[in-house]
Every structure is written in structure tokens, then in C-alpha cells.
Amino acid sequence: LSMASRSEGALLGASVAAGVTVALVGWGLWHRVAFNGPPEPPRSVAGAVVSKGRRQPRKDLVVVRVGASTQYVLSTSGRPSSMRRYRAMLQDILHLDVCYLPISSEQERIDPQRFVWAVRGMNCLGGAISKDIKVSVLPFLDELDPLARSIGAVNTVCKRGDRLVGYNTDALGFEAAIKTTIGDGKLGSAVIYGYGGVVSVVVAVLKRMGVRCFITGRRRDAARQRATQLGVELFEPHKLGSAADLFVNAAPVTDASLENATNFLEALEGCRFAFDHEMPGACLEEYCRHHGIHHIPGTLMYFPQMVSQWGLFLEPLIGPKRPEELRRLIEQAEAQAKAKSALHFPFHF
């Protein structure tokens, strides 16, 4: 049986031999896969693309062990680097029968109800949500963690018995990044650029820290509407009186000239700290270096968020672990995955 699932080019193939299933995850659209013969047009079966014909081995496939009792962590996105990292952590280091599995949809976005059906119906520990359905999935969950409820969005869904519980570890990651860099009680005001889903996380964390929040963006009408929704203020330089202490970029604009992002530089000017949710965000990092602003990269949020998320997923199997233990596990897995990748695949994705 061969199945392919497309999400920005994600491909899942499963081959069954001697009672053992090996899952292969590659990076490339289904039609880029080499077949022994002319490929037949794909057909959709239960949300997956199925194509007859025998595939040639691909060098960018990630092999993971999957059997009848395997438990899954579903993800709405996934790169080969993530697959290798979590395969190393789950199967090679912890020796668990668990597979990190990116899923996708033939539609532009994953349907939140179908995502929940998949988590409920498969032998899952839970699911990781990276975008799109962090808010729309809420009505289909059984329970929300108090922090997730206050934010109104989740990025982590865990199966607890027959119930699905939603958490928001993005908030924990952002809070860790800010407190590690700046500390407590040193921020009076912050201006946030953008009005997408991550903004609700940023506002919730900063309000808990007692920080006065302002929102701006390319379109002031959209920024005003978002500010009203979240109970904060629209950024207007004359209203604040002086530059904000913290600038938070929550829009995909910092890998190009900052002058192209309307209203960006006026909000950034004079700030002491600048956090960038976009990675790598090279243009903002360079601007901060030249203007004496302390740059806080998104990676400082990424690792604490990942540690918190995997702590929730794995607690039923390995019990509660201290964050530093989980971080060491993830870093060990990252190093092991990179070493194997460099050995077998001497190129970068």
C-alpha cells in the first residue's frame, strides 16, 4: 500500500513487509517522486492521495518504525529535520513505540474537526498544531487548560483517556524567552506588530506580567479591530509619549527590508528590546545590531515551547520530567539526527 499526503510538499509512504510497517516521510510533491513506469493520476481516498505504481527509493525519506501498537503524535506541519529529531528521541533514545507523523489535507487548510477525528480515531497521544486551526479547533475539544482558555487558542492537543484536552505551550515559550532575557518587572510597555493568531498569545503573557500593550500593523483598521478584541490599545506614537520598552514582531516581514513593512519602523524606533517571532528574521537582527536594540530571537521561545509540549505528550509514558531533562533529550536527539543526516545525506533542505 502506498499513500501520499500533501502539505507544502510533505509525502507519507507506508510499506508493509513481514508484519512490520515502516513509515517514510519525504519532502517533495507527489508528482516529483520517480516511478518505475508512467505515473497514473492520483485519486483521493479518505483525505489521502493514493497512486498506483512502484516508487524508487528517495534520499530525502525519513524512516521510522511503525507497528500495530504504535502510538502517534500528529502534526499539522513537519519538516524532514523535525522527523529525524523526533524519530531519534522517541525510537532511538527513549525506545518508545511512538511515531511523530505530519498530516495534511487536499484542501488549502486542514479541517479542524477532521484533525480531531484523526486524533480520536487513531492510537494517538495527541496532536501538535502549528498554524491555521489553533482557534477553530476549540469547539471540538473536550477540555481546555486554564491558560489556553484565557488565550482562546491551542497549539497542543493531548488525549487523556477518552477526552481531548487543549493546551497552549506557545505562551510558556514566549514567557520564558522574555523573562530569560529581560527578567521580571523591567517592562512598562510593549508594541506588537501584527494581528494574527500569535498576537493573542503575546498579549495574554504580557498582560499577566503587568505590561501595557499596543498593537500596530500594515493596516491600522485591522490593528484597531484586533486591539479592541484583545482589550489593548492601538499604537499611536503621540499617545504613548515615548518609545515602548519592548517591540514584538508577530508578522512574516523581517527577512526582507523593514522599510517595506508599513508602520514597522515607527513602532520599533527607540525600543530597548525587540523580540522576533519570525525565524531567522535577519533584517530585524541587523537593524537591532546597528541601532543598539537588544534582539531576542524566536529560537529562545521555540525550545521552551517544544520542551513543554513534549512533556505533555510523553507524561503518560515516561512520567513527569523536569524541563532541563527534556531539553537535554531533545538536544541529544537533535545532535544525533544531524550526525546521521550529514553521514547519509550530505546536503541541506
Side-chain angles (χ1 to χ4, degrees):
L1 172 67
S2 294
M3 294 187 299
S5 171
R6 186 178 63 193
S7 173
E8 300 177 22
L11 176 69
L12 170 69
S15 61
V16 182
V20 178
T21 303
V22 178
L24 306 170
V25 176
W27 205 242
L29 295 174
W30 74 271
H31 58 265
R32 292 174 56 192
V33 180
F35 290 85
N36 285 341
E40 296 182 17
R43 57 190 176 87
S44 177
V45 177
V49 174
V50 180
S51 181
K52 295 180 181 178
R54 189 175 177 182
R55 292 190 178 88
Q56 297 285 2
R58 290 175 55 107
K59 292 183 178 180
D60 60 344
L61 294 177
V62 180
V63 179
V64 294
R65 295 182 297 277
V66 177
S69 59
T70 299
Q71 293 180 283
Y72 299 93
V73 173
L74 303 185
S75 174
T76 59
S77 69
R79 300 176 183 273
S81 58
S82 299
M83 286 294 304
R84 284 190 283 270
R85 178 198 306 127
Y86 297 134
R87 177 198 59 189
M89 181 179 75
L90 297 168
Q91 301 190 346
D92 299 339
I93 297 173
L94 292 174
H95 304 291
L96 298 173
D97 189 9
V98 178
C99 174
Y100 171 80
L101 183 64
I103 63 172
S104 66
S105 170
E106 285 301 286
Q107 285 68 46
E108 184 178 352
R109 295 184 177 185
I110 289 176
D111 182 286
Q113 187 173 32
R114 289 179 181 273
F115 175 80
V116 167
W117 285 344
V119 175
R120 288 190 191 277
M122 296 175 64
N123 188 23
C124 287
L125 293 170
I129 301 170
S130 62
K131 57 183 179 180
D132 293 344
I133 63 170
K134 290 184 177 184
V135 175
S136 58
V137 76
L138 297 183
F140 306 107
L141 303 179
D142 300 306
E143 186 180 339
L144 294 180
D145 170 76
L147 178 59
R149 185 182 298 109
S150 69
I151 294 170
V154 302
N155 73 319
T156 305
V157 175
C158 292
K159 188 184 287 185
R160 299 293 187 248
D162 60 352
R163 296 177 64 79
L164 295 186
V165 184
Y167 300 86
N168 195 307
T169 63
D170 285 335
L172 301 175
F174 177 69
E175 185 172 13
I178 297 302
K179 289 186 174 180
T180 299
T181 307
I182 303 174
D184 287 311
K186 296 183 180 179
L187 293 175
S189 59
V191 57
I192 304 152
Y193 187 89
Y195 20 76
V198 73
V199 174
S200 60
V201 172
V202 170
V203 167
V205 170
L206 292 178
K207 288 173 90 172
R208 287 201 306 169
M209 295 173 62
V211 178
R212 184 183 179 189
C213 296
F214 299 83
I215 291 180
T216 188
R218 290 181 184 271
R219 295 180 291 112
R220 289 196 186 278
D221 57 337
R224 180 180 289 106
Q225 182 179 1
R226 193 71 165 121
T228 300
Q229 289 173 348
L230 297 175
V232 297
E233 302 171 65
L234 176 70
F235 174 74
E236 297 175 283
H238 66 275
K239 179 185 292 187
L240 187 57
S242 61
D245 296 314
L246 172 67
F247 175 88
V248 176
N249 174 52
V253 297
T254 53
D255 282 316
S257 173
L258 302 183
E259 295 179 353
N260 296 336
T262 307
N263 303 320
F264 190 97
L265 290 177
E266 72 168 11
L268 175 60
E269 185 178 1
C271 293
R272 295 187 295 132
F273 303 94
F275 172 85
D276 195 359
H277 185 263
E278 183 75 1
M279 294 182 285
C283 293
L284 178 56
E285 183 177 6
E286 182 180 5
Y287 181 95
C288 290
R289 186 167 55 249
H290 288 303
H291 291 80
I293 301 173
H294 190 121
H295 178 259
I296 307 172
T299 50
L300 291 185
M301 170 183 172
Y302 179 63
F303 262 99
Q305 182 279 131
M306 185 164 45
V307 166
S308 298
Q309 187 175 62
W310 280 98
L312 290 168
F313 287 145
L314 295 178
E315 185 173 348
L317 300 181
I318 63 175
K321 294 290 183 183
R322 295 193 305 272
E324 55 269 25
E325 291 182 89
L326 285 169
R327 177 154 188 154
R328 282 196 297 270
L329 272 174
I330 292 172
E331 290 174 342
Q332 180 185 353
E334 182 82 8
Q336 182 172 314
K338 285 182 177 178
K340 287 187 176 181
S341 177
L343 179 64
H344 297 291
F345 310 122
F347 52 84
H348 298 284
F349 296 99

